[in-house]
Structures are given as structure tokens and as C-alpha cells.
Amino acid sequence: VVAEAVTMARALNAALRDSLLEDPRLLVFGEDVGRMGGVFRVTDGLQAEFGIDRVFDTPISEAGIAGAAVGLAFGGWRSVVEMQFDAFSYPALEQIIDHVAKMRERTRGRVEMAITVRIPAFGGIRGKEHHSESPETYYVHTAGLKVVTPSSALDAYRLLRLAIADPDPVIVLEPKARYWSKEEGDLTTEGPRIGEGRVLRDGGTCTLFAYGAMVARCLEAAEALEAEGVGLRVVDLRSLSPLDVELIGRCARETGRAVVVHEAPRTLGLGAEVAALVMEEAFDHLEAPVARVTGWDVPYPPAALEQHYLPSVERICDAVRRTVAY
Amino acid sequence: VGAEEVAEPFRLLAPDGSAVGDTDVGLEADDLRDLLRWMTLARRLDRECIALQRQGELTVYPGFEGQEAAQVGSAVALGPDDFVFPTFRELAAALVRGVDPVQYLAYHRGTWHGGPYDPRATRFGPICIPVATQIVHGVGYAMGLRLGGAAACCLAYFGDGSASEGDFHEGANLASVFRAPAILFCQNNGWAISVPTADQTRGEIWRRAEALGFRGVLVDGNDVLAVYRVTRQARDRALAGEGPTLIEARTYRIGAHSTADDAGRYREEADVDAARASDPIARYRTWLLASGHADEGFVAGCEAAAEKRVLEVREGVVSQPPPPAEWMFDWAYADPPATLQRQRAEALGGG
């Protein structure tokens, strides 16, 4: 099948549909996911196709949604739940941290939490407050969870399908700013697994590590710096937990320089972990300290200021230039 | 309190053991005797657990003395396919559901979290410490039962303090909206650690069901027959597709919140004495003897059997070896990431 270009939202929709077709014990539920098809239309048409028992709206109860998924898992159901926006996932944190993440261990593997938590996340959409946050560190820091975030439509399809099929709970952070980005190609689960990153552009001077919407921005920066004779390698981390330590180490050793880019505030952001891994895995090969280009350590700003908060192509290029000149 | 009249809990046996309602709750003589067997064993084991904690064989232990009727009466009312989500104070219910007490107490020995018993085989969920979160699990499980068309229900225990949590309200509302075959069973034991129920809520917990569009019931939690009857009715309704029931069983926590708590700091011994006078086991024993379903010999036999069983459990608990360190890594993930496998090797001395 030669597919035409699909948006990320459409690819995610296809992943849900194909998963629902494949597994009759799979349920999709959350706020406005049923008759309306989700505020970003990711669940569009699913209730009509699979019925109100398998794709359903819930009351506005994020803790209830996550907790119900736990109870359903005890009965052998698999759930894909949607938290409508990043900051609205916080009421569910107790259920996610205390139970979703730990139940497999607490029952010594007898009860698996085959739960996928979809969270439209990150900024760049001129959103109201509480609609643009980067919550990944909370989830990555919680043992028992896996955390993924796609940067493109086809990988969004792949990652969501892999997340749903995974016996462990997976948090899927969907970059809202990329929902309408298009990619051409076949929708397939073949390719990198959860736990693996992917190299999107090869280069020998420095590696840019990024995820989500920052990947496209890093590719732009790489394009811009090629004119200056700087060969940038761009790695889409995509699996934030577990991280692809092998790939991070290898790229850092081969290029000798690394810059990490994310939207989340700098302090204890994922960049700190990547920098520590680079030090552990590639210390003798490093030509410069690892640089971090991130959001600032402030609450996410209003729409009129977000271009000053999010890493820009220019900020990324500056960091690379400093790293190369070190 | 507003215009509502103060409700009298549903009751079949008065505190003195005399019948005040129709005691024919559909149980045969053997089943009626079992209620006393379970309560006798539960109390004896509960006291043993406190002793085991004092002797350093268990970590902090939350006793349930006074709540035997609430737990046994409700647990006995369930069918084999029903599922229970407990708090951390439901050892009596666990016994009734067939959970091996040695495995259950591995939790309090600090051997493993959750409880090493198999929740699917025993149909008894892991011990739950975060207050009220298990209510939502019970509702989710019940939603699954309805989706799968199963002839079963799910009961979630919680306390009067839990009813103040958001998860109580989210769970109760979900149960109502989805007409889940769920029983939300509140043991109102008068205390949330040091805070009395009067400071926890100005209303009555069972009445909250009406606001959410389902049925609430108030029952004397120290009357095992009444607890059995209302739980059984709730189960019948659940299986008939009539949705959830919220049961508030009024009982009393005779002991402290846990072995780490000193109840003398916040309540008078006289209050506890009044509760002791309303003892659920004495009440039922009096009725059972008067009803002719059992005699003094049976009562003595119950106590002897409990003594013997508790000594076996004690032996099982104290002979439990400490868990191997690799358990920390064995079940965290279905397929442990490479980073975790490295940490495992490091922790076990191979790294």
C-alpha cells in the first residue's frame, strides 16, 4: 500500500483503530473521546466503529480514569486512556505512580498493567495556561513506567501500537504542535522498538539529542549549520524511558560533542540524564562539555511569550557553535 | 445536621444479642455457625499479629478488633466469582476469601509489598495503603464485569476517612454513571487515625450515594447478620443489573490505628469501654446460642480451633526467610530495560 501523507493525529487514530481490531479486550476511554472523537480528533470515528462499550466518554475524573484502568487490568482488559492535556494528567498522578507503575511488581508479575496513557503534551500551540507543559520527568522518574514521545506521524503510529501491545504501562506524550505535521509512507510497526532511539540525520561533528516537537527544530538547525560546514547528527530519542543508552553513548563517542534539546525546564530535565549518560559512556571521547538547550526554569509562559521560552533554531545553532568552538 | 432525621442503622440483632428483626437471612445452620468460626479466628489472629509486632516479627500492624462482624458478614455474602479490593485493615475478610494468612502477613513482615498471595486466584486484591485509591480499582473491575457480561460483582472496602478523598467521589460517580456491579463498603470505625468521624464529615457517608444517583444503605456494622443481609442484597442488585450500592457499616476501632499509634493521645478510654460493650462477637454468640443453632461446646471448639490455627500461622510467619535481593528487580518490568539489568548486576555484586 502506498499511503499518501498522513498527519500525526490521523496516524495515531489509525494506530488505535488497528489495535482495537486486533484485540477485542482493548478499550479506549477518557474525556470527550467518544461521540466527539477527542479534542484533537485522535479518536475520531472509533466509537461509531467499535461501539460505546469499547470506546467511551467518562466523567471528568482523571484519577477515576486511571484507577478504573487499573481495576479493568485485574479483569484482563487492556486500556488506552486519554488525559486531555498535559497539566490535566496531574490528578491521576497518585493512581499512576502508586498503582499503574507498581502493580506488576506488587503482585509479583501476576497482574500486568497493560495500560497506555495518552497525553497531548508540550507547547508551541499558543495554548492557554496548563495546556503546554512538559511533564515527562515526572513519568520518567517513576520506576515501572515506560515513556515514549513521537516526533513524526509514521513513528507516532509505530510507537502507539507498540505501547498498546506492551505488557507494561506506557505513557505516550503526543506533541500537540506536531499533530498536523504530515509524513509520507506506510503505517507499520516495523522499525525501532520502545527503548530504541533513531538517527534521523548523520553527521560527524556533533550530536543533537531531542524528542517530540524539538526534533523538527533540530533538523532545521542541522540544515542551517551545514552551510557553515558543521555536520550535525540528529537523534530522535523517542523512547524517554527506557533511554537508548547504547545509541546515546555511541553517537557521543563518534562525534565527540553533544547538545541536548528539550522544551521542559532545564533543572532535572531529561537533558541532565542524557548529559550524565554521555559522561559515563563517552568521557574519553568528549571534545566539549554537553550543552543543554531547554525551556527556562519558570512556569510555561503565555502565548505571546512562548517563542522566548521554547528552544529556537537560533538558540540550538548558538549552542552547537559554542560546543564546536570549545 | 440539617433537616434530615438522624437515621437508625439497619439491624437484626440488638447489642445484647436479642433479635430485633427477621434473622432468617437465608443462611443454613452450618453457615450461621461459620460466621462465629470466622469471627473467633479473626480476633484471635488479630491479637496474635499485635503480639508478633511487639516481638519484632512483624513491622507496623493495623489491628481491626471490633470490626470482625463488618468484615466477616460482608465477605461471606460474596460469591466465589466476586472480587474484593481491600484496604490495609481487612485481614478478617482475607481469611474468609481464602487468602493464606501467612502469605498475607508477609506484607506486614516486610517481605513484599502488595501481598505475595495471587490476587487473581484468591479474587482478593493487593493490600492497599494509599487511602481510597482501591475504591476506583473496584469500580473499574466492576465496569469490566459489566462489559464482559459476567454474573459477578466487585466489593471495595474503605473507611470513614477515605470517604473524604477525591478518589471516593470519582469512584462512586463512575460506578453510578456506568451502572457498575460494585459494592462500595465503608467500615466507619469512628476514627481516621486520630480524627473522629464527626470532624471528618458533617453528613452521613451512606447518604452521598443518593446525590450521585444510586443506592446507599446504613447498617449496624457490629451486627454480622445485618451486614450479611445488606451486602447480599447489594450483590443481588448488582448481578441483576441494578447498579452499585454504597454500604456504610457503623462499627468501632477498639484498638489504635496501628501498633505505631498511641490512641491515648486523642481519645478517652471510657469511649472505648462503651464500644467494648457493643462487641460484635459477644452479640452474635449470644444470639447463636439462644437460637439453638449452636451450643457451648461449639463455642469452645471454635476457640480451640482458632488457637491451633493461629499457632500454625505464627510458625509460618516467623519461619519466613528474608527475601532475596533480586526480587527488587524481578517484577518491575515484564522485559527489564538494559539499564535496569546493569543495575541488577551491580546490586547483586556482579557489576
Side-chain angles (χ1 to χ4, degrees):
Chain A
V1 185
V2 179
E4 57 192 81
V6 289
T7 63
M8 183 185 282
R10 205 65 219 161
L12 290 163
N13 180 270
L16 290 170
R17 181 174 183 272
D18 291 347
S19 299
L20 282 160
L21 282 170
E22 191 172 280
D23 183 358
R25 299 284 285 182
L26 181 68
L27 308 173
V28 173
F29 56 96
E31 295 155 13
D32 304 298
V33 304
R35 43 175 93 76
M36 178 172 130
V39 293
F40 292 102
R41 306 294 179 266
V42 170
T43 55
D44 188 33
L46 298 178
Q47 187 176 72
E49 181 169 357
F50 295 97
I52 201 168
D53 277 353
R54 294 190 62 202
V55 180
F56 53 90
D57 290 319
T58 64
I60 302 180
S61 296
E62 291 82 7
I65 291 165
V70 172
L72 283 159
F74 272 81
W77 299 90
R78 305 170 77 90
S79 298
V80 181
V81 301
E82 176 176 314
M83 300 287 147
Q84 202 161 72
F85 282 91
D86 31 66
F88 303 159
S89 71
Y90 302 151
L93 276 178
E94 183 186 27
Q95 285 287 353
I96 292 174
I97 294 173
D98 285 349
H99 296 299
V100 173
K102 296 182 173 70
M103 201 60 87
R104 184 175 197 285
E105 170 170 271
R106 299 178 73 239
T107 61
R108 299 209 284 190
R110 292 177 175 117
V111 181
E112 287 186 328
M113 293 286 111
I115 296 170
T116 303
V117 183
R118 293 183 39 245
I119 309 177
F122 313 121
I125 58 158
R126 298 182 58 77
K128 287 274 178 291
E129 55 181 339
H130 314 299
H131 287 69
S132 300
E133 307 215 338
S134 296
E136 63 270 30
T137 293
Y138 309 135
Y139 297 108
V140 170
H141 201 65
T142 299
L145 299 177
K146 295 179 178 178
V147 184
V148 301
T149 184
S151 68
S152 73
L154 299 186
D155 202 37
Y157 176 88
R158 182 187 295 114
L159 276 172
L160 183 53
R161 293 224 46 196
L162 294 173
I164 292 169
D166 203 289
D168 287 318
V170 184
I171 309 291
V172 181
L173 300 171
E174 301 171 357
K176 294 183 285 268
R178 299 290 292 166
Y179 268 140
W180 314 119
S181 68
K182 287 185 174 178
E183 191 174 20
E184 216 168 288
D186 293 340
L187 297 173
T188 173
T189 55
E190 297 299 313
R193 310 283 89 190
I194 292 175
E196 293 176 352
R198 54 178 190 159
V199 178
L200 292 184
R201 180 188 175 104
D202 206 5
T205 310
C206 177
T207 303
L208 288 176
F209 294 106
Y211 52 92
M214 291 299 102
V215 171
R217 217 158 267 201
C218 285
L219 288 168
E220 268 185 71
E223 197 73 33
L225 285 170
E226 194 168 74
E228 299 176 21
V230 178
L232 280 178
R233 185 179 298 189
V234 178
V235 172
D236 177 7
L237 291 169
R238 69 195 279 290
S239 174
L240 310 188
S241 178
L243 277 167
D244 191 341
V245 176
E246 192 277 325
L247 180 67
I248 292 169
R250 181 161 54 78
C251 290
R253 284 191 299 275
E254 288 173 2
T255 63
R257 299 177 188 88
V259 175
V260 198
V261 183
H262 57 63
E263 300 181 33
R266 183 167 302 168
T267 302
L268 280 179
L270 207 69
E273 182 63 23
V274 172
L277 287 169
V278 167
M279 195 181 67
E280 288 172 8
E281 302 289 320
F283 186 74
D284 290 341
H285 300 77
L286 290 182
E287 306 284 347
V290 178
R292 290 181 284 174
V293 184
T294 66
W296 313 115
D297 288 343
V298 297
Y300 195 91
L305 293 175
E306 73 180 341
Q307 78 272 23
H308 302 298
Y309 175 89
L310 291 172
S312 62
V313 173
E314 205 36 52
R315 274 174 66 198
I316 297 167
C317 288
D318 284 348
V320 172
R321 289 189 194 105
R322 282 198 308 276
T323 302
V324 172
Y326 181 81
Chain B
V1 181
E4 293 279 12
E5 284 183 34
V6 176
E8 272 300 307
F10 176 73
R11 177 181 282 163
L12 295 175
L13 303 179
D16 67 2
S18 59
V20 292
D22 181 4
T23 55
D24 181 4
V25 294
L27 289 174
E28 302 295 324
D30 260 356
D31 303 325
L32 290 167
R33 285 192 290 271
D34 271 349
L35 295 177
L36 187 66
R37 277 199 198 97
W38 285 124
M39 289 197 291
T40 306
L41 173 60
R43 174 161 300 177
R44 180 64 187 83
L45 182 57
D46 184 56
R47 290 180 175 173
E48 189 70 17
C49 288
I50 289 168
L52 281 164
Q53 190 279 331
R54 302 289 185 228
Q55 293 157 14
E57 298 289 354
L58 294 180
T59 63
V60 174
Y61 173 79
F64 58 84
E65 182 154 337
Q67 299 176 220
E68 294 87 350
Q71 291 189 32
V72 169
S74 53
V76 164
L78 299 177
D81 291 337
D82 298 338
F83 204 100
V84 171
F85 282 90
T87 73
F88 49 82
R89 205 189 292 283
E90 267 83 54
L91 175 53
L95 286 172
V96 173
R97 292 300 287 172
V99 176
D100 174 3
V102 175
Q103 289 189 10
Y104 180 99
L105 290 168
Y107 182 87
H108 292 305
R109 190 160 168 83
T111 305
W112 199 245
H113 292 317
Y117 52 88
D118 183 346
R120 278 195 171 139
T122 58
R123 312 196 72 68
F124 195 83
I127 290 166
C128 188
I129 296 280
V131 177
T133 51
Q134 78 286 353
I135 297 171
V136 195
H137 304 163
V139 171
Y141 189 92
M143 287 164 63
L145 290 173
R146 191 185 61 77
L147 289 177
C153 72
C154 184
L155 182 147
Y157 287 107
F158 61 102
D160 42 294
S162 311
S164 300
E165 288 277 12
D167 276 25
F168 162 77
H169 295 88
E170 295 200 20
N173 188 49
L174 283 175
S176 181
V177 166
F178 290 100
R179 290 186 77 76
I183 302 173
L184 308 185
F185 194 97
C186 176
Q187 292 177 77
N188 179 349
N189 68 11
W191 296 94
I193 305 190
S194 67
V195 176
T197 309
D199 292 343
Q200 195 72 237
T201 174
R202 292 292 177 94
E204 292 186 282
I205 292 163
W206 67 280
R207 290 190 197 276
R208 295 181 195 173
E210 188 187 349
L212 296 174
F214 68 105
R215 184 166 167 269
V217 177
L218 177 64
V219 65
D220 182 338
N222 286 358
D223 175 353
V224 70
L225 282 183
V227 171
Y228 172 84
R229 168 99 173 263
V230 299
T231 311
R232 192 74 189 175
Q233 282 173 344
R235 180 179 186 273
D236 290 344
R237 287 173 53 87
L239 267 59
E242 292 168 36
T245 303
L246 168 61
I247 297 173
E248 178 185 352
R250 296 257 170 91
T251 178
Y252 197 85
R253 195 193 77 205
I254 299 284
H257 168 70
S258 75
T259 50
D261 174 35
D262 172 10
R265 292 179 66 87
Y266 52 81
R267 71 181 185 187
E268 301 294 329
E269 206 43 42
D271 299 336
V272 186
D273 287 341
R276 283 199 182 93
S278 179
D279 182 69
I281 301 182
R283 184 190 306 196
Y284 186 62
R285 187 173 53 221
T286 302
W287 176 79
L288 194 65
L289 289 171
S291 72
H293 291 304
D295 57 18
E296 291 288 358
F298 172 78
V299 173
C302 272
E303 282 162 7
E307 189 67 24
K308 180 164 173 294
R309 181 79 184 105
V310 164
L311 290 179
E312 289 166 8
V313 173
R314 158 182 274 275
E315 188 49 39
V317 167
V318 302
S319 61
Q320 265 179 13
E326 57 260 37
W327 279 18
M328 284 193 294
F329 298 92
D330 279 353
W331 300 290
Y333 289 91
D335 58 337
T339 44
L340 193 55
Q341 287 171 8
R342 276 200 226 172
Q343 290 178 26
R344 178 192 164 107
E346 191 179 330
L348 302 182

